[in-house]
């Protein structure tokens, strides 16, 4: 019985972690759409620190961050972030997009 409870608790917590991870991603996207670029940067940074994502999702969050820097007229930070995506996640759609932005 204890094993069953432990398995159920583990599955529940894993599901909650996925929901929180996905929620952070959605909040970053929503904040960007709403024009809250400072908050987009903060949420993206926090999500990347707190949750595990695949390379495509990491690159996408970083791309949102770079776009936010652009909207805030922080060109150097935007360029650095785009270049980081290209260097760190070269085989992603967002590395391709970052190259297009930088060219």
């Amino acid at each position: 019985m204890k094993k069953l409870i432990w398995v159920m608790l583990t599955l529940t917590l894993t599901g909650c972690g996925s929901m929180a991870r996905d929620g952070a991603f959605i909040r970053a996207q929503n904040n960007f759409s709403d024009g809250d670029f400072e908050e987009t940067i903060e949420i993206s940074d926090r999500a990347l620190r707190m949750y595990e994502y695949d390379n495509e999702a990491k690159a996408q969050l970083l791309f949102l961050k770079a776009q936010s820097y652009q909207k805030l007229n922080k060109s150097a930070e935007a360029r650095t972030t785009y270049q980081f995506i290209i260097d760190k996640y070269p085989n992603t759609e967002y590395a391709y997009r970052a190259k297009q932005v930088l060219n």
Side-chain angles (χ1 to χ4, degrees), residues 24-35:
F25 200 93
I26 292 166
R27 278 193 317 277
Q29 291 174 320
N30 287 342
N31 276 288
F32 183 83
S33 295
D34 292 343

Side-chain angles (χ1 to χ4, degrees), residues 29-76:
Q29 291 174 320
N30 287 342
N31 276 288
F32 183 83
S33 295
D34 292 343
D36 191 349
F37 306 119
E38 292 284 353
E39 187 68 15
T40 301
I41 293 167
E42 288 180 30
I43 291 170
S44 296
D45 285 343
R46 191 175 326 120
L48 289 165
R49 276 193 318 273
M50 293 179 65
Y51 305 111
E52 287 296 319
Y53 294 100
D54 63 20
N55 286 349
E56 193 70 37
K58 287 177 188 176
Q60 186 176 2
L61 277 168
L62 288 164
F63 194 83
L64 272 174
K65 181 178 175 180
Q67 287 181 306
S68 295
Y69 280 134
Q70 265 189 297
K71 296 286 188 180
L72 293 168
N73 295 315
K74 295 183 176 183
S75 302

Side-chain angles (χ1 to χ4, degrees), residues 86-100:
I86 293 165
D87 294 342
K88 183 80 173 173
Y89 307 107
N91 298 320
T92 64
E93 173 187 344
Y94 293 93
Y96 174 76
R97 288 184 180 191
K99 286 176 191 175
Q100 287 181 316

